[in-house]
Amino acid sequence: MEPPQRDGRDPGLQPERTALSWRRTILSAIAADIFIWRGWLHALTHDNSRPGALFASGHSVHVIGLGVCAMVACLTTLVLVGLAVCRIKVLHAGVEDLDHAAGIAAPALTVRTASAAIVALAVAAVCAIALGM
């Protein structure tokens, strides 16, 4: 008895591996966010320019710079999470319906946006380290 023939290609484990790599990327971004935010909050509480004033104006330049780095890190991680959720949905839909195998490829805008977010997160991390996290 012959095994039943399927139309289209069998993607194997590729969609699952891709989904796992998106998840690892998100975890790495969250780890970087935690370190940047921790450095910023530490700098806020130990700022010598205005002791006792957490969210008042007049903070030192390095505290403001770390705050900008923390905001950039947060925004880039949110962008990556949004992209990952969309891509994982597309990948799982493509596995269930093999007729859409051609539509599984990532659009160029998704790849460019994810790359820009990773670069922005890396720049924020380097700037946070340079500012004395």
Side-chain angles (χ1 to χ4, degrees):
M1 184 169 212
E2 286 185 32
Q5 296 290 330
R6 287 189 190 180
D7 294 334
R9 71 174 186 90
D10 181 13
L13 294 176
Q14 181 61 41
E16 187 62 29
R17 286 192 307 264
T18 304
L20 287 172
S21 69
W22 274 102
R23 289 181 181 121
R24 282 191 308 267
T25 302
I26 296 302
L27 285 175
S28 300
I30 290 172
D33 283 0
I34 289 170
F35 286 120
I36 293 170
W37 276 82
R38 186 182 132 251
W40 179 53
L41 291 174
H42 183 268
L44 268 178
T45 58
H46 293 88
D47 188 14
N48 293 330
S49 66
R50 300 253 337 216
L54 273 182
F55 295 103
S57 61
H59 283 295
S60 67
V61 174
H62 102 279
V63 172
I64 294 170
L66 283 172
V68 170
C69 291
M71 293 304 148
V72 168
C74 182
L75 290 175
T76 57
T77 301
L78 289 175
V79 167
L80 285 172
V81 167
L83 290 172
V85 167
C86 291
R87 284 300 299 153
I88 289 171
K89 283 182 183 179
V90 167
L91 289 171
H92 287 302
V95 170
E96 293 167 1
D97 185 13
L98 291 176
D99 293 336
H100 291 92
I104 275 184
L109 182 61
T110 301
V111 174
R112 288 181 185 146
T113 305
S115 299
I118 292 293
V119 169
L121 181 58
V123 168
V126 168
C127 288
I129 291 169
L131 287 169
M133 230 172 67

